Amino acid sequence: MLLKLFTFSLLLRLCLSVPDDFTTLLSFKISADSSSSLPWSSSSYPCSWLGVTCHPTTHRVTKLILNNSNLTGSIQTLTRLTQLRYLSLHHNYLSMIPSFSSWPNLKHLYLSHNGFSGEFPAGLASLHRLVRLDLSYNNFSGQIPLMELAQLPHLVTLLLEFNSFTGTLDSGGLSISPLAEFNVSENALSGKIPDFLVNFTVSSFSGNSRLCGKPLPLDCYNGGFHSKPVAGNDVNGKSRVLGMKKKVRNSIEMMIISVCVVVLISTLVIVTWCCYRFKGKKMKVKNWYNGKYGAVKPKESTVDDQEMVCFEGCRGFDRVDDLLMASAELLGKGSVGSTYKVEIAGGDVVVKRVKLRESISTRAKKRNIAGYLRGNIGGLRNLNVLSLRAFSCSKDELLLVYDFLPNGSLFTLLHGNRGPGRTPLDWSRRLKVALGAAKGLAFLHSRKLVHGNLTSSNIIIDNLGNPCISDIGLSLVLQMPSSLNSPYRAPELVQATHNSQSIKSYTKKCDVYSFGVVLLEILTGKTAWMEGEGNLVNWVEGSMKQEDWKWEVFDFEMLRYKEMEGEMKALLEVALLCLVSSPSQRVEMVLVMKMIDDIKVKDMGSGEFQESISNGTLTSGSSSFSEN
Ligand SMILES: *[C@@H]1O[C@H](CO)[C@@H](O)[C@H](O)[C@H]1NC(C)=O
Ligand SMILES: *[C@@H]1O[C@H](CO)[C@@H](O)[C@H](O)[C@H]1NC(C)=O
Ligand SMILES: *[C@@H]1O[C@H](CO)[C@@H](O)[C@H](O)[C@H]1NC(C)=O
Ligand SMILES: *[C@@H]1O[C@H](CO)[C@@H](O)[C@H](O)[C@H]1NC(C)=O
Ligand SMILES: *[C@@H]1O[C@H](CO)[C@@H](O)[C@H](O)[C@H]1NC(C)=O
């Protein structure tokens, strides 16, 4: 028993000290995968994502293979994956490379066919386990640090062809002993090939016109560019010949330089043009509906049978066609459908495209969906609910139009871009989001509506930091229940058999449970899908069994608000009340809202929170709910 407790706490320590690879992968996806080529869904276990391999016990990412994935930009984020052994990113459009020093365990590194440029990356000395290094087909320049490479005891493969490396292959007399595969062809290297490389074939060195010595046919002292130093003007005849040679060489050099300048300028023009074009393509997609993002229907039929239902008028898009013809940008693909930002004269809107499943393509069921959206959702206007502006329901597809809010979801605010460069989300903003979301959900419940799939991803933050709940009732009316092992799923739903998990079994109390999970995310800064310990709820409950638990549970970004500890504990208590496993014992949303409101107003000191919740708020709160 004692031993078990000990191992458990050890595991917990381990968990806490380990950076969250899940978040790292997600933020890499956000920064590098603007074309959404990686089929990674934040609702599945990250170690099962395509291209990701984890260590079986520590659950850290050890292998990442993302070749041919249209990735762009920097790979700086990936330096947080400190347990990587194998990294393959060939055939992408990546351009910025960090120092190697963050990957002390790396054995295989494949970065060929990208747009990396600049000097050979620093930090080679840390890669003492490196076996294969492939930097070919990039735009690297400067010297090849052969002296440092010679320090790597296991290096077998070194591929550097098709770059712009200059300088010599001087290794300071050292050799890379296990080297079996070597290629520096098509660079701008010069000088003598060192002895330890002479047994590689000519094709390893071709395309470097100033290299000489074995195995190349060019001898280094006769005819090679690296000519023997000649003593000055001792003999008249000799010096005259030398002078003429010099003149010829000067003019050749002049020619080479001017050719280089012309090439450089045209390259610059081409690169600028390419960048410009590429950027343009990424940002805006004309005719998005039928374009490369995979529409299924011919344009003509969409116009005819799709009627647009507008609430409070549709500024600039009274016909479905107006939306479909506008420029759009893919924001994301979720479990229910794809989301686009569409540019309309009356202001940007968000369009959600939901492909209807076979089972609900009948006319009656469609009418049911339209009736629900028209009667229950369309008219909802609340500060904390994202307004549905319009919708249109065709034979096999549903289009939902919302206002565009630039700040993104609570999920990205909490978990996106973790690490250097992130602006931490301060405590008062977190509390504001918690309260606003509670108000929004309580408002829905007061209208006899349930949300059905509340997660941090469908709480959207407006430009004033107010949270707005979106996708209300969507998963229920579309009969797309969240997956069985979703951490947001209330225990009574998990226990229900697969067939009986219908709309009827979903109650307001299920929403309350999901909200409790969102509160834990706000407090811990961790995603609801956690590795190892099962999920966030189990993890928090486990951590609280420890003697001295408090600061291990809370997000380290809030360490600076230690004086607010009382408020944080109070919010944690509220979360735990939402997470009570028996639905009948679980609090109502009205009370949750009242309790969170009280945290803010009272500004309690630490220690008093438990008392105030059990004595005051819980018993007196129910009557004071007011709609806004
Ligand atoms: C990358 O982009 C091209 C062209 O846009 C597309 O054909 C290809 O499927 C994309 N690759 C992946 C892995 O999505
Ligand atoms: C990535 O490369 C490996 C081997 O280099 C190959 O087996 C795999 O199919 C490639 N994946 C993609 C998406 O191209
Ligand atoms: C690399 O440089 C060459 C010319 O030096 C240029 O043609 C090419 O487009 C560059 N590649 C990338 C991916 O930037
Ligand atoms: C190159 O090959 C020759 C003959 O096979 C051998 O004697 C020599 O040791 C080799 N040199 C190196 C550096 O491996
Ligand atoms: C070196 O790379 C070039 C260009 O890809 C290739 O043609 C050549 O066969 C390679 N040489 C060796 C020894 O791999």
Side-chain angles (χ1 to χ4, degrees):
M1 182 61 207
L2 209 66
L3 190 73
K4 210 170 153 192
L5 208 72
F6 177 70
T7 21
F8 178 72
S9 76
L10 198 76
L11 213 73
L12 198 76
R13 290 285 138 68
L14 224 69
C15 253
L16 289 167
S17 61
V18 158
D20 193 348
D21 284 355
F22 178 26
T23 324
T24 305
L25 289 175
L26 271 185
S27 50
F28 177 66
K29 178 173 164 59
I30 290 168
S31 70
D33 183 27
S34 50
S35 64
S36 288
S37 296
L38 299 177
W40 293 354
S41 147
S42 56
S43 61
S44 63
Y45 185 53
C47 292
S48 66
W49 288 350
L50 188 73
V52 180
T53 309
C54 298
H55 190 274
T57 52
T58 65
H59 302 279
R60 299 288 314 270
V61 175
T62 54
K63 192 168 175 179
L64 195 59
I65 304 182
L66 303 174
N67 36 320
N68 281 313
S69 298
N70 292 339
L71 301 174
T72 56
S74 170
I75 58 172
Q76 174 72 44
T77 324
L78 296 181
T79 56
R80 280 185 267 153
L81 302 177
T82 51
Q83 290 300 311
L84 271 184
R85 270 109 176 114
Y86 192 115
L87 178 60
S88 175
L89 297 168
H90 59 75
H91 289 90
N92 282 292
Y93 305 98
L94 295 163
S95 52
M96 260 133 11
I97 193 163
S99 156
F100 286 145
S101 54
S102 321
W103 292 311
N105 296 301
L106 210 57
K107 292 180 174 173
H108 298 257
L109 183 57
Y110 303 101
L111 300 176
S112 70
H113 295 272
N114 274 288
F116 293 120
S117 55
E119 302 257 306
F120 202 100
L124 256 183
S126 348
L127 301 183
H128 55 275
R129 300 175 72 177
L130 196 69
V131 177
R132 293 181 201 283
L133 178 61
D134 184 357
L135 302 180
S136 61
Y137 294 88
N138 278 291
N139 270 354
F140 285 113
S141 53
Q143 290 261 355
I144 298 173
L146 272 180
M147 256 183 258
E148 283 177 65
L149 288 163
Q151 310 291 329
L152 305 179
H154 307 292
L155 192 65
V156 171
T157 302
L158 182 59
L159 299 179
L160 304 173
E161 68 263 28
F162 282 91
N163 277 289
S164 308
F165 285 116
T166 52
T168 65
L169 287 174
D170 183 20
S171 64
L174 300 168
S175 67
I176 309 177
S177 34
L179 200 62
E181 206 182 351
F182 179 80
N183 204 334
V184 289
S185 59
E186 306 298 335
N187 277 288
L189 299 167
S190 55
K192 186 177 182 305
I193 293 171
D195 286 341
F196 79 99
L197 294 173
V198 297
N199 283 356
F200 289 99
T201 62
V202 172
S203 75
S204 290
F205 303 96
S206 57
N208 293 284
S209 55
R210 289 157 65 92
L211 271 185
C212 59
K214 265 188 179 175
L216 295 178
L218 220 55
D219 189 331
C220 281
Y221 296 111
N222 303 313
F225 278 92
H226 187 90
S227 52
K228 201 179 197 172
V230 180
N233 42 5
D234 47 1
V235 185
N236 281 354
K238 205 169 182 180
S239 82
R240 210 181 304 137
V241 174
L242 268 177
M244 264 168 70
K245 267 191 180 166
K246 220 174 183 172
K247 254 185 196 163
V248 171
R249 221 169 68 194
N250 277 349
S251 58
I252 290 178
E253 267 169 15
M254 281 298 284
M255 251 168 68
I256 291 178
I257 288 175
S258 48
V259 166
C260 281
V261 166
V262 169
V263 167
L264 196 82
I265 289 176
S266 49
T267 311
L268 249 167
V269 168
I270 291 173
V271 166
T272 323
W273 182 71
C274 281
C275 285
Y276 181 77
R277 241 188 55 159
F278 190 51
K279 222 173 173 175
K281 210 158 70 190
K282 243 184 0 190
M283 297 302 288
K284 283 178 196 171
V285 185
K286 272 277 180 195
N287 201 4
W288 56 282
Y289 192 74
N290 291 295
K292 70 169 193 172
Y293 288 125
V296 276
K297 296 196 305 174
K299 209 176 77 194
E300 292 76 31
S301 75
T302 66
V303 183
D304 294 336
D305 65 2
Q306 263 180 281
E307 176 207 2
M308 186 70 107
V309 179
C310 296
F311 307 103
E312 309 186 338
C314 300
R315 297 144 305 163
F317 58 96
D318 23 0
R319 292 175 317 130
V320 176
D321 219 18
D322 295 336
L323 281 183
L324 304 188
M325 302 310 276
S327 306
E329 181 188 339
L330 182 68
L331 292 179
K333 288 177 184 168
S335 54
V336 189
S338 305
T339 310
Y340 299 83
K341 174 186 170 191
V342 178
E343 293 176 10
I344 295 289
D348 294 347
V349 292
V350 167
V351 177
K352 192 166 218 140
R353 286 180 62 186
V354 182
K355 187 142 171 43
L356 298 181
R357 297 194 312 181
E358 301 277 306
S359 61
I360 46 173
S361 58
T362 66
R363 205 168 269 270
K365 285 185 174 160
K366 253 184 55 190
R367 215 177 297 133
N368 198 11
I369 294 174
Y372 175 78
L373 292 174
R374 202 191 290 258
N376 294 326
I377 305 301
L380 289 180
R381 292 295 177 264
N382 181 286
L383 178 66
N384 299 116
V385 168
L386 191 60
S387 304
L388 181 65
R389 289 286 165 208
F391 77 90
S392 138
C393 191
S394 77
K395 196 160 77 250
D396 51 8
E397 196 174 61
L398 184 64
L399 289 183
L400 299 159
V401 185
Y402 298 99
D403 287 333
F404 173 70
L405 302 181
N407 278 347
S409 70
L410 176 59
F411 183 92
T412 48
L413 217 57
L414 280 174
H415 314 303
N417 188 31
R418 281 258 162 180
R422 171 182 156 92
T423 348
L425 195 57
D426 66 37
W427 171 241
S428 68
R429 283 175 72 201
R430 289 181 198 231
L431 201 55
K432 180 176 178 179
V433 170
L435 179 61
K439 280 183 178 170
L441 201 55
F443 168 75
L444 291 182
H445 287 181
S446 75
R447 295 291 179 95
K448 301 205 161 32
L449 292 169
V450 289
H451 185 284
N453 187 24
L454 187 76
T455 67
S456 56
S457 305
N458 48 37
I459 296 175
I460 315 293
I461 311 298
D462 77 5
N463 43 9
L464 298 174
N466 295 310
C468 299
I469 295 179
S470 76
D471 288 1
I472 297 146
L474 216 52
S475 66
L476 296 179
V477 75
L478 295 173
Q479 300 174 8
M480 292 172 169
S482 55
S483 75
L484 272 177
N485 56 355
S486 162
Y488 294 100
R489 205 177 163 84
E492 66 269 22
L493 288 173
V494 175
Q495 281 154 14
T497 64
H498 198 77
N499 290 332
S500 70
Q501 37 150 322
S502 61
I503 300 177
K504 289 186 202 81
S505 62
Y506 200 98
T507 63
K508 292 176 187 173
K509 291 293 179 71
C510 303
D511 277 348
V512 175
Y513 186 91
S514 306
F515 183 76
V517 180
V518 172
L519 287 185
L520 290 189
E521 280 185 76
I522 292 175
L523 284 165
T524 62
K526 296 186 186 300
T527 55
W529 300 84
M530 273 186 77
E531 299 169 4
E533 295 296 312
N535 60 38
L536 184 56
V537 177
N538 297 348
W539 180 78
V540 169
E541 280 171 353
S543 316
M544 288 183 62
K545 290 202 184 91
Q546 308 294 303
E547 267 172 43
D548 184 25
W549 53 270
K550 48 196 177 188
W551 282 107
E552 299 187 340
V553 172
F554 296 130
D555 190 348
F556 67 88
E557 281 184 358
M558 302 196 301
L559 279 176
R560 71 176 82 175
Y561 309 108
K562 273 210 159 159
E563 70 281 5
M564 303 293 183
E565 188 183 330
E567 295 190 9
M568 293 173 200
K569 280 182 161 182
L571 192 65
L572 183 59
E573 286 290 325
V574 176
L576 295 177
L577 289 174
C578 295
L579 295 168
V580 168
S581 52
S582 155
S584 57
Q585 316 244 307
R586 213 175 289 150
V587 285
E588 305 264 344
M589 213 51 225
V590 186
L591 275 185
V592 174
M593 184 194 79
K594 187 73 176 60
M595 286 188 283
I596 299 178
D597 209 10
D598 279 358
I599 295 175
K600 221 170 96 183
V601 173
K602 274 194 197 152
D603 196 20
M604 296 171 297
S606 61
E608 292 167 34
F609 66 97
Q610 199 131 24
E611 216 177 320
S612 91
I613 285 174
S614 47
N615 298 343
T617 332
L618 264 178
T619 47
S620 68
S622 50
S623 61
S624 49
F625 170 56
S626 59
E627 270 171 37
N628 39 353

